[in-house]
Amino acid sequence: MPKLTIDGRTLAVAEGTTVLRAALEASISIPHLCWHPAFPPEGSCRLCLVEIEGFPKLELACSTAVREGMKVRTETPAVRESRRRVLEFLLADHPVDCPICDKAGECKLQDYYEDHGLTESVFREEKERRPKNIDLGKNLLLDRERCVLCTRCVRFLREVTRTGELGVFERGVRSEIGILEGRPVATPYGGNLVDLCPVGAITDRSFRFRTRTWFLVSRPTICPLCARGCAIDIDHHPGLPRRADSAGVFRVRPRPDEAVNGFWICDLGRYGYLDLHRRRLTRISWNRGGPAAEMSRAKILSVLGGKIREMAVRGRSSRLGLVLNSGLTVEELRSVRDGLLSRLPEARLWFDDPPPGEDDGFLLRAERTANRRGAAGLGFDLAPFDPAVLGKDLDIILVFGGLSVGKGRDEVLGQALASIGTKVLLSPVETGLEPAFDFLIPTALPSEKSGTFINVDGLARSFEPAIPVAAGVWPEGEFLAALAEEISRGA
Amino acid sequence: MVKAWGYLWALVKGAAVTTRHFIVNMWFHTLRLVGFKRLRAGAVTFQYPEVRKPLAARHRSLHRLVARPDGRPRCVACLLCVTVCPSECIFVEAEEDPDPDVQKTAGRFEIDLARCSFCGFCVEACPEDAIRMDTGTIELAARSRADLLFDRDRLLRRN
């Protein structure tokens, strides 16, 4: 392990590490635009120049490998001066339209100018005018004026998705990012380009002009839409300053997790999970043919708890059915097993998971549910079942609607349920199944609760609530605990 | 009874203050009348609704949105005024501008004067000089809260 000194701090790093990586690991910041931990160094932005003892000129931190005894200095006057000049060149042809740029607030160029630049530009020439609104396909928009040609987007499409839709066209000062005629970006990982772009050149049409980044609160959670369980950050608007739409969740972005998703997420997770936040169930209600009547937690708990307690007391627990899904967290499933099933030993149990989708060979898995390994680990039987068996010999059924409950089987499920006395649906989102049930209880999305998912590779990832629980929502964990307590009351 | 004497005492005190002002002001007015102009002038009451004192050049009065030559607001909905506003009284919703050089403009722009504290931070924050508080309108009383909500068109009308 070679040792090097950066700004007087001695660090031991692995063989072959670059100076920039070594510095970042030690939390020493060196500005960089084109370098990204997922790619080999490119060395095109020239921002990461540092002073290394024994080298005649400033060296690129991103592409210089560490050697034993290297002495690096990142804050000498020469380094600071070079950064200032590089930034001046980058900004000479940058429109500086930060007020209308969606990236403003999280733009690296903006940050570096604030930290290292702050120069009056000496350029008196008119800035180059380029197209500002090029459709790249999907939700992506390209602004060529803002582009600093770091080529992160090009390298992502070449090296990660291997689709290569974007390229650098022309040469020298005329270089520009573009697509081939009629071949827009089509990869299901295109959304990552927006996060990857260090400036506001590639922006997301679905986020365009909706708010400014500094109003958003970003918190970590896990994407529940497939068995990969990608680490994500979810950005929500806390409500003030006022907005017309109350939709609190604005963005889903990947959070680096080397073992699970690297630095990326698929567009299904990015936009699909965002969509779920827009069609929520919001009221505990009782379907009585006409308009659904709203119920309080206490009321529904006493109704349901009373019925189930009676079953338990009379030893008729086999007439209770539970349809679970493996989108529930380990903690919730454990609470079903230890809280409910211990008191109702003969209750019937099924798992209704969404039908498998397509496995794209990269992140997205065929299994479209987050916690099958966790459920199997708790000893549950996850075999698929025929909804027709539900109708037989049941008085009460509790259905935990997953994030895509009843996809393609609404009809069958609805008919099967018709003969059961009391039908309860617990679901975070509107599924279209609501009319078939007597009671509806809105539950929490994974971003609103804490818990643990075990992903397809057996990696357990715990998460905390990332956004405030939506109005009227009763998280599954709390409901199960309350129900278990209600049932054991007086027993 | 003692309380009543207290009121009477306050009346006497008040009358004394008024009398003092009257005598002092008359004294300065009289001096000025006979030619001692270098002494301070006596107070003059402005007959407000009929006679108005000119506003200071930097006086912050009712806001206006500055318009481009074509009548559309200069505002690009950068939301810096919303960010800086301590009373959280500004509401802006961006929309696409038909002019590709402008790109972004304010579709909705509302100021809730019931909340506004007239600090002028929005004017200072604006990178486009799109909002100003120079209309000179200072009589802003209204009969309902809705009348105090100034929307984009109402703010543009003051140009």
Side-chain angles (χ1 to χ4, degrees), chain B residues 12-149:
Chain B
V12 171
K13 254 168 68 178
V17 170
T18 311
T19 314
R20 195 187 76 222
H21 279 302
F22 175 74
I23 291 172
V24 168
N25 278 318
M26 279 309 282
W27 171 245
F28 284 118
H29 279 302
T30 316
L31 277 183
R32 182 165 275 242
L33 203 68
V34 295
F36 291 96
K37 287 203 175 164
R38 298 187 58 179
L39 283 165
R40 103 179 193 215
V44 181
T45 304
F46 277 79
Q47 298 302 311
Y48 167 61
E50 291 83 24
V51 184
R52 280 155 198 273
K53 217 172 150 183
L55 295 177
R58 303 192 315 168
H59 182 92
R60 298 191 292 269
S61 48
L62 176 67
H63 318 66
R64 72 180 168 111
L65 278 176
V66 183
R68 296 175 194 275
D70 66 353
R72 302 176 58 80
R74 265 193 205 172
C75 175
V76 294
C78 69
L79 271 64
L80 287 185
C81 51
V82 178
T83 308
V84 78
C85 182
S87 321
E88 293 177 338
C89 69
I90 310 181
F91 170 79
V92 184
E93 209 171 79
E95 69 174 27
E96 201 82 29
D97 194 277
D99 183 350
D101 280 344
V102 180
Q103 289 206 57
K104 195 180 180 187
T105 188
R108 283 173 68 187
F109 193 109
E110 283 167 11
I111 297 181
D112 187 354
L113 285 195
R115 298 188 67 133
C116 178
S117 56
F118 290 86
C119 65
F121 285 3
C122 49
V123 180
E124 283 188 43
C126 185
E128 299 281 324
D129 190 18
I131 186 167
R132 293 189 194 163
M133 295 175 80
D134 60 356
T135 51
T137 312
I138 51 171
E139 288 110 346
L140 297 164
R143 289 186 185 277
S144 70
R145 288 181 188 275
D147 287 346
L148 285 171
L149 200 64

Side-chain angles (χ1 to χ4, degrees), chain A residues 27-249:
Chain A
S27 301
I28 297 167
S29 79
I30 298 175
H32 54 273
L33 287 175
C34 66
W35 183 83
H36 187 278
F39 309 127
E42 173 86 357
S44 66
C45 73
R46 317 309 286 182
L47 255 181
C48 65
L49 288 167
V50 290
E51 209 172 274
I52 303 177
E53 232 175 67
F55 286 69
K57 291 193 230 166
L58 300 182
E59 280 298 318
L60 285 176
C62 70
S63 58
T64 309
V66 170
R67 262 179 282 154
E68 182 61 45
M70 216 175 219
K71 284 197 172 63
V72 181
R73 281 193 295 271
T74 69
E75 290 295 333
T76 61
V79 172
R80 292 195 69 89
E81 178 66 11
S82 103
R83 279 176 198 159
R84 248 201 310 280
R85 293 299 159 229
V86 169
L87 280 168
E88 193 178 335
F89 276 124
L90 286 173
L91 288 165
D93 218 10
H94 188 86
V96 205
D97 55 354
C98 309
I100 60 164
C101 179
D102 282 331
K103 194 79 174 188
E106 52 185 21
C107 170
K108 297 185 91 175
L109 191 57
Q110 209 179 22
D111 293 348
Y112 293 149
Y113 178 71
E114 203 67 30
D115 294 346
H116 305 283
L118 292 180
T119 44
E120 244 341 279
S121 176
V122 298
F123 289 88
R124 294 289 166 264
E125 292 78 13
E126 283 284 300
K127 293 197 178 191
E128 191 94 10
R129 298 308 311 268
R130 295 168 198 267
K132 287 186 76 72
N133 212 335
I134 302 171
D135 190 352
L136 289 184
K138 292 253 166 185
N139 269 333
L140 307 171
L141 287 173
L142 171 66
D143 184 325
R144 283 210 181 118
E145 282 187 354
R146 292 180 194 150
C147 179
V148 292
L149 290 169
C150 68
T151 68
R152 277 183 181 190
C153 49
V154 177
R155 286 177 284 151
F156 172 76
L157 292 174
R158 273 196 198 137
E159 290 165 29
V160 180
T161 66
R162 295 178 197 284
T163 46
E165 291 100 331
L166 287 176
V168 184
F169 295 83
E170 305 281 345
R171 283 198 283 175
V173 290
R174 292 199 187 81
S175 307
E176 58 188 30
I177 302 289
I179 45 172
L180 290 171
E181 184 91 28
R183 280 200 53 208
V185 178
T187 161
Y189 290 86
N192 292 305
L193 296 178
V194 179
D195 308 319
L196 208 49
C197 185
V199 295
I202 298 184
T203 49
D204 188 334
R205 196 188 305 254
S206 69
F207 183 66
R208 185 168 164 89
F209 299 167
R210 287 197 57 216
T211 185
R212 305 307 305 272
T213 56
W214 55 84
F215 294 134
L216 299 176
V217 179
S218 188
R219 297 230 180 85
T221 182
I222 303 281
C223 174
L225 292 188
C226 87
R228 176 72 62 187
C230 292
I232 54 171
D233 275 325
I234 197 158
D235 295 359
H236 79 276
H237 194 293
L240 274 176
R242 290 185 299 139
R243 287 191 50 81
D245 53 345
S246 54
V249 180

Side-chain angles (χ1 to χ4, degrees), chain A residues 160-407:
Chain A
V160 180
T161 66
R162 295 178 197 284
T163 46
E165 291 100 331
L166 287 176
V168 184
F169 295 83
E170 305 281 345
R171 283 198 283 175
V173 290
R174 292 199 187 81
S175 307
E176 58 188 30
I177 302 289
I179 45 172
L180 290 171
E181 184 91 28
R183 280 200 53 208
V185 178
T187 161
Y189 290 86
N192 292 305
L193 296 178
V194 179
D195 308 319
L196 208 49
C197 185
V199 295
I202 298 184
T203 49
D204 188 334
R205 196 188 305 254
S206 69
F207 183 66
R208 185 168 164 89
F209 299 167
R210 287 197 57 216
T211 185
R212 305 307 305 272
T213 56
W214 55 84
F215 294 134
L216 299 176
V217 179
S218 188
R219 297 230 180 85
T221 182
I222 303 281
C223 174
L225 292 188
C226 87
R228 176 72 62 187
C230 292
I232 54 171
D233 275 325
I234 197 158
D235 295 359
H236 79 276
H237 194 293
L240 274 176
R242 290 185 299 139
R243 287 191 50 81
D245 53 345
S246 54
V249 180
F250 279 77
R251 285 193 301 193
V252 172
R253 294 184 299 162
R255 176 163 52 90
D257 188 333
E258 289 287 354
V260 180
N261 56 319
F263 300 90
W264 328 113
I265 55 170
C266 66
D267 286 359
L268 178 75
R270 187 181 296 266
Y271 301 114
Y273 193 35
L274 209 55
D275 251 12
L276 288 180
H277 290 88
R278 309 242 162 84
R279 46 180 186 101
R280 301 294 304 275
L281 278 178
T282 52
R283 302 190 310 164
I284 300 175
S285 57
W286 182 13
N287 259 336
R288 287 181 299 187
E294 193 164 346
M295 288 182 97
S296 69
R297 285 186 182 191
K299 177 87 171 124
I300 196 163
L301 203 59
S302 75
V303 172
L304 275 182
K307 288 189 182 192
I308 298 176
R309 188 181 331 132
E310 202 182 307
M311 282 180 155
V313 172
R314 293 196 184 170
R316 296 177 54 182
S317 58
S318 65
R319 299 191 67 80
L320 172 72
L322 282 169
V323 178
L324 302 173
N325 64 69
S326 53
L328 296 171
T329 63
V330 171
E331 288 78 357
E332 285 157 359
L333 290 170
R334 189 177 292 138
S335 148
V336 170
R337 192 186 67 180
D338 302 344
L340 282 185
L341 296 184
S342 62
R343 294 183 178 85
L344 304 152
E346 286 167 44
R348 315 279 305 277
L349 205 66
W350 296 277
F351 265 77
D352 179 30
D353 278 334
E358 198 185 325
D359 189 325
D360 71 357
F362 182 34
L363 292 180
L364 188 65
R365 303 311 303 254
E367 244 173 72
R368 293 297 159 85
T369 165
N371 198 25
R372 260 181 104 76
R373 302 294 171 288
L378 287 171
F380 287 108
D381 172 23
L382 301 176
F385 68 99
D386 176 13
V389 303
L390 291 179
K392 295 171 193 148
D393 318 320
L394 290 181
D395 290 334
I396 303 181
I397 188 159
L398 297 180
V399 177
F400 287 82
L403 296 176
S404 47
V405 69
K407 251 185 195 160

